[in-house]
């Protein structure tokens, strides 16, 4: 059986351009079935043909930014199945279907209903269907096609990185690249000239230029000078359509900053300078400042100053201030107006860093002359030496001359000098100085062992101007004399064992001497002849030490517990001095190694010496503690025995009440308070009651005074006999005035005014009966027959 190959009929859509609109029509074409070999089938078409339709798509084109009032025709969909009888319905789906693009179901015409923007979306992908209107079945397979938006020049170039800032060195050669500016155009670069840009410079000529195609900005002049103009503002334009008329353009600014190069030498604004300097200026003081001008900046303007020559080359020096680039002229030596009154310097200023490219224009340095005038100053006295050394023996008598100092007035006036010693440096007044000659003498005996070197300050004062003073230090070294005997170096705690062998060294002694002979110390040791000891002997080791050795015979604690050995130590001076030192040696029982095991039998004697201070302190502490306990206990017991007082009685303590306002008497309760006479015991209450009855009497009588006598006596007796009462004093003043008082008038003033009145006469004989406390009152008032009675009672209450 022959194998027949049948190819399905394909509906090929061909594009046909409509006149005037550029729209496309999509049709289907029938392909004959072919054999596999490529020839036509031998069978007849009626019997063996099978048609298979398919859509073949292509692009539709539509211009962007269409501004017409009617929808824009895009193209037409058509299938050969469509016989024009309305049975085929065309359907459009995909991007923008129905919202942007619409299709006529019957004719297949496609329109754009909105204005399109290629920069937002360059093409749209859609799908086309041809369906039977009655059955809604596909009469053609679904096919996909693209509607591409064609570009128009509707976007101007933009500099997305602008504005620009660039730097270029001054004096750069022509054509030096400064910066590259880049503009972008949103139009389609593959279609027409809408995105083809051309650069040009609108502002900045003739100093700079720009390459039209690349946008590279370059220098256009060779002598750009930063010192004349340090920055330039350029305006660069980019235009599409290759710069043709009708193209769109955009611009940006470029700020070009010229960086500095060392193309300017320094120079002094003046050829000479003059300064004044006081002769009293201290060394290392800046006495003048000069500055050379350099229009460059940064390291290119850093300067170096130096003195070339002049008569002040050794007296002054110059350095550079790193911050201000000034030349600081510093005093190197002390000035003296009387010796030299002016100096001349020749100073050079030069750049630290030089650019070899500009050396041909000349040296990068400048020279100026500086004159320094020395001003005369009234200077204080000056000593020949600021520090002087003198020596004096410690055995020198008071008034011995130690040495002398000399000062002079450096000024031409040559004022006389008066000398003195600074009180703070001579507190003990060991030395005295002659105010006119400067001779220093001893004022007190000296002791080298107390102060070996005296540091005193001598002051020289001008007599014509005491405010001008100069000072010098005088060091007086006190030389030694042999005035101190040697002694043992330490307090030795020496013991000897009972079983010690003869010739055994029990202690090695050394000595000290406060003196310091020039040849050194040489001590001689020996035993005192008056205290020769048969148990020990001394051996001088000839090296400023001595050894104590035992003699035959042995030692027993029960025979002698403590041996006292007098040792004589002499020095080697002329004449020699010596001292006798007692060495205590305790006898102890020792072990086989010679270590002390028990010294108890001799301990009481040692304890009496070593523990005496500790025991005394302990005993005193105990005694003080017991005394404190006793005092506290006694105070507590006394406080318990004291009678309790109520609050009302304590209110009277330390209370001073004076009734001297000449009021209305006892009826005037505001001026006189009888409650101050109260007493808490029974007797006191009865007297208080009696005292209150005085207010009922209208006329004062002398017989009424007896009411107060028991009260006052009782209070006096309590105050005199109560030794445990605290020292609280109460001063009560009773001045009964007015007609309403039962007592007689106590006012001495009233008594004088009414001396002849019988109503005011008082009898002061009672004062003599009250004892020594009222003797003074009795003497004052006893000779009068009348007069006021100022009754003051001072009592002590508990």
């Amino acid at each position: 059986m022959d194998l027949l190959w049948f190819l399905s009929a394909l509906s090929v859509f061909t594009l046909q351009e409509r006149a005037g609109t550029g729209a496309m029509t999509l049709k289907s074409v029938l392909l004959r079935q072919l054999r596999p070999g490529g020839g036509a089938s031998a069978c007849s078409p009626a019997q063996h043909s099978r048609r298979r339709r398919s859509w073949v798509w292509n692009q539709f084109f539509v211009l962007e930014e269409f501004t017409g009032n009617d929808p824009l025709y895009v193209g037409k969909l058509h299938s050969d199945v469509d016989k024009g009888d309305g049975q085929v319905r065309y359907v459009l789906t995909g991007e923008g279907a129905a919202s942007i693009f619409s299709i006529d179901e019957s004719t297949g015409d496609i329109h754009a209903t909105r204005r399109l923007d290629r920069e937002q979306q360059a093409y749209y992908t859609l799908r086309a269907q041809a369906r039977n209107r009655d059955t809604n079945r596909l009469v053609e397979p679904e096919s996909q096609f693209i509607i591409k938006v064609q570009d128009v020049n509707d976007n101007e170039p933009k500099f997305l990185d602008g504005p620009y800032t660039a730097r270029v060195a001054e004096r750069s050669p022509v054509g030096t690249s400064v910066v590259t500016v880049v503009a972008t155009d949103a139009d389609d670069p593959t279609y027409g000239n809408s995105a083809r840009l051309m650069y040009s410079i609108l502002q900045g000529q003739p100093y700079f230029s720009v390459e039209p195609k690349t946008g590279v900005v370059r220098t256009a002049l060779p002598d750009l000078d930063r010192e004349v103009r340090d920055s330039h503002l350029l305006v660069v334009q980019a235009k599409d359509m290759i710069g043709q008329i009708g193209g769109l353009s955009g611009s940006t600014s470029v700020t070009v900053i010229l960086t500095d190069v060392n193309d300017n030498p320094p120079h002094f604004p003046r050829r000479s300078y003059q300064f004044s300097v006081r002769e009293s200026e201290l060394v290392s003081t800046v006495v003048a400042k000069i500055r050379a001008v350099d229009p460059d900046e940064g390291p290119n303007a850093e300067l170096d100053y130096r003195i070339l020559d002049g008569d002040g080359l050794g007296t002054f020096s110059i350095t550079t201030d790193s911050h201000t680039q000034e030349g600081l002229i510093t005093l190197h030596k002390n000035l003296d107006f009387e010796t030299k009154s002016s100096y001349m310097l020749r100073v050079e200023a030069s750049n630290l860093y030089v650019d070899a490219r500009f050396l041909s224009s000349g040296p990068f340095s400048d020279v100026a002359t500086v004159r320094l005038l020395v001003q005369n100053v009234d200077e204080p006295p000056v000593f020949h030496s600021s520090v002087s050394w003198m020596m004096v023996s410690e055995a020198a008598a008071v008034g011995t001359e130690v040495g002398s100092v000399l000062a002079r007035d450096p000024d031409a006036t040559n004022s006389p000098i008066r000398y003195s010693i600074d009180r703070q440096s001579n507190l003990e007044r060991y030395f005295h100085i002659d105010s006119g000659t400067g001779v220093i003498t001893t004022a007190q005996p000296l002791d080298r062992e107390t102060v070996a070197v005296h540091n005193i300050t001598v002051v020289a004062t001008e007599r014509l101007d005491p405010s001008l003073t100069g000072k010098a230090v005088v060091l007086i070294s006190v030389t030694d004399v042999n005035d101190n005997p040697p002694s043992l170096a330490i307090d030795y705690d020496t013991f000897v064992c009972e079983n010690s062998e003869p010739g055994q060294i029990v202690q090695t002694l050394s000595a000290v001497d406060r003196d310091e002979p020039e040849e050194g110390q040489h001590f001689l040791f020996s035993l005192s002849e008056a205290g020769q000891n048969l148990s020990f002997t001394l051996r001088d080791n000839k090296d400023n030490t001595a050894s104590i050795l035992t003699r035959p015979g042995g030692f027993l604690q029960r025979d002698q517990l403590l041996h006292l050995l007098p040792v004589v130590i002499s020095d080697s001076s002329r004449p020699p001095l010596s001292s006798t030192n007692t060495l205590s040696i305790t006898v102890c029982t020792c072990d086989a190694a010679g270590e002390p095991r028990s010294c108890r039998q001799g301990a009481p004697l040692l304890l009496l010496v070593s523990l005496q201070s500790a025991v005394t302190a302990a005993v005193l502490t105990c005694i003080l503690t017991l005394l404190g306990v006793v005092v506290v206990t006694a105070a507590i017991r006394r406080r318990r025995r004291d009678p309790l007082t109520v609050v009302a009685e304590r209110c009277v303590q330390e209370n001073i009440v004076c009734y001297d306002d000449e009021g209305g008497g006892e009826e005037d309760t505001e001026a006189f308070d009888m409650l101050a006479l109260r007493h808490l015991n029974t007797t006191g209450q009865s007297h208080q009651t009696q005292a209150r009855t005085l207010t009922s009497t209208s006329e004062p009588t002398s017989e009424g005074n007896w009411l107060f006598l028991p009260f006052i006596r009782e209070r006096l007796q309590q105050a005199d006999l109560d030794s445990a009462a605290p020292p609280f004093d109460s001063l009560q003043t009773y001045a009964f005035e007015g007609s309403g008082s039962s007592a007689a008038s106590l006012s001495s003033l009233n008594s004088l005014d009414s001396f002849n009145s019988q109503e005011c006469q008082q009898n002061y004989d009672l004062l003599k009966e009250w004892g020594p406390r009222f003797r003074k009152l009795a003497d004052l008032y006893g000779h009068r027959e009348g007069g006021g009675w100022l009754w003051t009672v001072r009592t002590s209450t508990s």
Side-chain angles (χ1 to χ4, degrees):
M1 179 177 177
D2 292 333
L3 296 176
L4 297 179
W5 295 90
F6 296 96
L7 295 176
S8 61
L10 300 177
S11 296
V12 179
F13 293 97
T14 60
L15 295 175
Q16 295 180 351
E17 183 176 358
R18 284 194 176 185
T21 63
M24 299 298 180
T25 302
L26 195 61
K27 292 186 176 181
S28 63
V29 183
L30 181 63
L31 298 181
R32 294 181 179 272
Q33 59 186 13
L34 301 176
R35 289 184 175 271
S41 173
C43 301
S44 63
Q47 296 177 355
H48 304 288
S49 64
R50 293 182 61 189
R51 290 192 305 172
R52 182 179 180 184
R53 294 177 179 85
S54 177
W55 296 66
V56 177
W57 62 269
N58 207 331
Q59 296 182 2
F60 290 88
F61 296 90
V62 60
L63 288 175
E64 65 170 337
E65 305 295 342
F66 178 73
T67 58
N69 295 327
D70 298 329
L72 178 64
Y73 181 78
V74 177
K76 181 181 182 64
L77 294 178
H78 183 72
S79 175
D80 290 341
V81 179
D82 187 3
K83 303 301 182 180
D85 54 1
Q87 292 297 317
V88 177
R89 182 173 62 89
Y90 297 96
V91 178
L92 187 65
T93 59
E95 292 180 333
S99 61
I100 299 177
F101 303 101
S102 64
I103 189 171
D104 190 326
E105 294 183 352
S106 301
T107 63
D109 293 333
I110 302 174
H111 292 81
T113 60
R114 284 181 9 188
R115 186 175 62 178
L116 302 179
D117 188 357
R118 189 201 66 83
E119 286 71 39
Q120 292 184 358
Q121 188 166 346
Y123 60 90
Y124 297 85
T125 303
L126 296 100
R127 292 181 298 274
Q129 296 178 357
R131 294 180 176 271
N132 187 284
R133 187 179 295 275
D134 297 332
T135 61
N136 200 30
R137 296 181 63 181
L138 291 172
V139 297
E140 293 283 1
E142 186 181 64
S143 181
Q144 182 175 291
F145 64 97
I146 293 175
I147 297 178
K148 187 174 181 180
V149 181
Q150 285 184 322
D151 183 54
V152 295
N153 190 18
D154 59 343
N155 291 278
E156 71 277 4
K158 295 182 179 180
F159 293 90
L160 301 180
D161 297 329
Y164 296 85
T165 300
R167 296 177 181 270
V168 64
E170 64 173 336
R171 308 288 184 182
S172 295
V174 175
T176 301
S177 175
V178 179
V179 67
T180 300
V181 296
V182 177
T184 58
D185 195 323
D187 293 327
D188 189 357
T190 63
Y191 180 78
N193 297 325
S194 298
R196 296 182 64 182
L197 306 180
M198 183 72 69
Y199 296 94
S200 62
I201 186 167
L202 302 181
Q203 177 181 326
Q205 296 174 339
Y207 305 101
F208 299 91
S209 62
V210 62
E211 292 185 357
K213 295 183 178 180
T214 61
V216 177
V217 178
R218 300 181 182 276
T219 58
L221 291 179
D223 295 326
L224 295 176
D225 192 356
R226 185 199 65 83
E227 288 72 35
V228 176
R229 184 177 179 181
D230 60 355
S231 65
H232 296 264
L233 180 63
L234 313 181
V235 177
V236 179
Q237 182 190 64
K239 190 174 183 179
D240 58 13
M241 300 296 291
I242 322 177
Q244 297 176 0
I245 298 176
L248 303 178
S249 64
S251 62
T252 186
S253 64
V254 180
T255 301
V256 180
I257 299 174
L258 298 180
T259 60
D260 185 63
V261 297
N262 193 9
D263 57 340
N264 294 280
H267 69 278
F268 286 102
R270 299 163 54 185
R271 292 293 90 191
S272 63
Y273 298 86
Q274 181 172 305
F275 301 94
S276 297
V277 184
R278 294 165 58 92
E279 65 173 336
S280 59
E281 292 291 350
L282 300 177
V283 174
S284 300
T285 302
V286 176
V287 296
K289 296 180 180 180
I290 59 175
R291 188 177 189 278
V293 178
D294 192 333
D296 296 323
E297 65 178 6
N300 298 321
E302 294 182 2
L303 302 178
D304 179 36
Y305 296 89
R306 64 190 183 98
I307 300 176
L308 298 178
D309 51 41
D311 55 4
L313 187 59
T315 307
F316 300 92
S317 61
I318 189 168
T319 57
T320 304
D321 188 329
S322 60
H323 298 288
T324 62
Q325 296 302 313
E326 291 178 313
L328 308 179
I329 300 177
T330 306
L331 184 63
H332 193 64
K333 293 181 180 179
N334 290 322
L335 300 177
D336 187 5
F337 173 80
E338 290 72 23
T339 303
K340 189 173 180 59
S341 60
S342 66
Y343 295 87
M344 189 71 68
L345 303 174
R346 205 161 67 94
V347 179
E348 179 190 59
S350 59
N351 280 130
L352 282 177
Y353 309 101
V354 179
D355 195 333
R357 295 177 298 172
F358 307 103
L359 286 176
S360 59
S361 61
F364 279 74
S365 62
D366 196 12
V367 178
T369 302
V370 179
R371 186 181 183 188
L372 299 167
L373 303 179
V374 181
Q375 291 182 339
N376 187 26
V377 177
D378 194 1
E379 300 173 273
V382 178
F383 284 88
H384 283 187
S385 177
S386 60
V387 178
S388 300
W389 279 89
M390 301 179 185
M391 298 182 66
V392 63
S393 174
E394 65 176 330
V398 175
T400 301
E401 181 177 339
V402 179
S404 63
V405 293
L406 181 62
R408 65 176 181 86
D409 183 6
D411 299 317
T413 57
N414 195 17
S415 173
I417 304 299
R418 180 174 58 85
Y419 300 95
S420 62
I421 298 178
D422 190 350
R423 182 71 179 85
Q424 296 299 323
S425 65
N426 190 31
L427 295 176
E428 302 297 332
R429 299 183 183 273
Y430 284 109
F431 302 95
H432 171 74
I433 189 170
D434 189 284
S435 61
T437 62
V439 176
I440 300 174
T441 57
T442 59
Q444 289 188 20
L446 304 176
D447 185 7
R448 188 201 65 83
E449 287 72 36
T450 302
V451 181
V453 178
H454 293 268
N455 185 347
I456 63 174
T457 301
V458 178
V459 181
T461 306
E462 290 189 12
R463 294 183 182 271
L464 299 180
D465 188 359
S467 63
L468 298 177
T469 61
K471 293 184 179 181
V473 175
V474 178
L475 301 175
I476 302 176
S477 178
V478 181
T479 60
D480 185 47
V481 296
N482 190 26
D483 57 347
N484 293 280
S487 61
L488 289 176
I490 61 174
D491 294 332
Y492 291 95
D493 185 12
T494 307
F495 70 94
V496 64
C497 297
E498 287 184 327
N499 57 352
S500 296
E501 297 294 334
Q504 181 178 349
I505 299 176
V506 297
Q507 187 66 62
T508 299
L509 306 178
S510 60
V512 292
D513 194 335
R514 297 179 63 191
D515 296 323
E516 293 182 359
E518 296 180 0
E519 300 82 6
Q521 296 285 3
H522 299 285
F523 299 117
L524 300 176
F525 296 85
S526 63
L527 293 178
S528 175
E529 296 179 358
Q532 290 292 335
N533 193 294
L534 300 178
S535 302
F536 301 94
T537 183
L538 183 142
R539 182 181 66 195
D540 194 336
N541 297 326
K542 306 302 181 181
D543 60 353
N544 290 339
T545 64
S547 300
I548 305 298
L549 295 84
T550 59
R551 286 185 174 182
F555 304 91
L556 293 176
Q557 287 185 353
R558 64 176 179 271
D559 294 339
Q560 187 173 355
L561 302 176
L562 186 64
H563 295 266
L564 301 178
L565 193 64
V567 179
V568 179
I569 308 175
S570 303
D571 56 24
S572 59
S573 300
R574 296 291 182 269
L577 295 180
S578 64
S579 65
T580 301
N581 303 265
T582 301
L583 180 65
S584 301
I585 303 176
T586 306
V587 179
C588 299
T589 59
C590 302
D591 55 15
E595 297 295 331
R597 186 171 57 186
S598 174
C599 299
R600 293 182 179 179
Q601 296 184 9
L605 293 177
L606 297 176
L607 290 175
L608 291 176
V609 179
S610 61
L611 300 180
Q612 181 178 1
S613 59
V615 172
T616 302
V619 172
L620 290 177
T621 302
C622 294
I623 293 174
L624 292 177
T625 303
L626 292 175
L627 287 177
V629 173
V630 172
V631 171
V632 174
T633 305
I636 294 175
R637 291 181 178 179
R638 178 176 297 176
R639 188 176 184 87
R640 291 178 178 177
R641 289 198 304 267
D642 291 341
L644 298 176
T645 58
V646 296
V647 177
E649 184 176 2
R650 286 197 295 268
C651 295
V652 185
Q653 298 173 359
E654 297 185 4
N655 202 14
I656 299 177
V657 182
C658 296
Y659 300 94
D660 54 355
D661 57 349
E662 301 292 328
E666 293 178 355
E667 292 182 352
D668 185 1
T669 58
E670 295 182 357
F672 178 75
D673 188 6
M674 287 296 294
L675 294 178
L677 303 177
R678 70 182 180 276
H679 194 275
L680 295 179
N681 53 30
T682 306
T683 307
Q685 292 177 357
S686 62
H687 289 301
Q688 184 178 3
T689 305
Q690 296 175 2
R692 291 177 180 175
T693 60
L694 295 175
T695 58
S696 62
T697 307
S698 60
E699 296 294 334
T701 60
S702 60
E703 291 78 10
N705 295 336
W706 66 270
L707 295 174
F708 297 94
L709 295 180
F711 168 77
I712 295 175
R713 288 172 182 171
E714 182 178 5
R715 300 293 281 180
L716 288 174
Q717 186 177 6
Q718 290 179 358
D720 293 337
L721 298 179
D722 190 3
S723 59
F728 297 135
D729 293 339
S730 179
L731 180 64
Q732 306 288 352
T733 302
Y734 306 101
F736 302 115
E737 301 292 341
S739 61
S741 176
S742 301
S745 175
L746 302 180
S747 173
S748 59
L749 297 176
N750 189 37
S751 300
L752 293 175
D753 295 338
S754 58
F755 182 77
N756 296 325
S757 177
Q758 297 296 329
E759 296 179 355
C760 298
Q761 292 181 1
Q762 298 292 335
N763 184 6
Y764 295 101
D765 295 337
L766 295 174
L767 296 175
K768 297 180 179 180
E769 300 176 1
W770 289 356
R773 294 177 179 270
F774 296 88
R775 182 175 301 169
K776 186 66 176 179
L777 291 176
D779 294 339
L780 292 174
Y781 296 97
H783 64 281
R784 297 181 183 178
E785 296 180 357
W789 188 2
L790 180 62
W791 196 351
T792 303
V793 181
R794 184 177 181 271
T795 62
S796 297
T797 62
S798 58

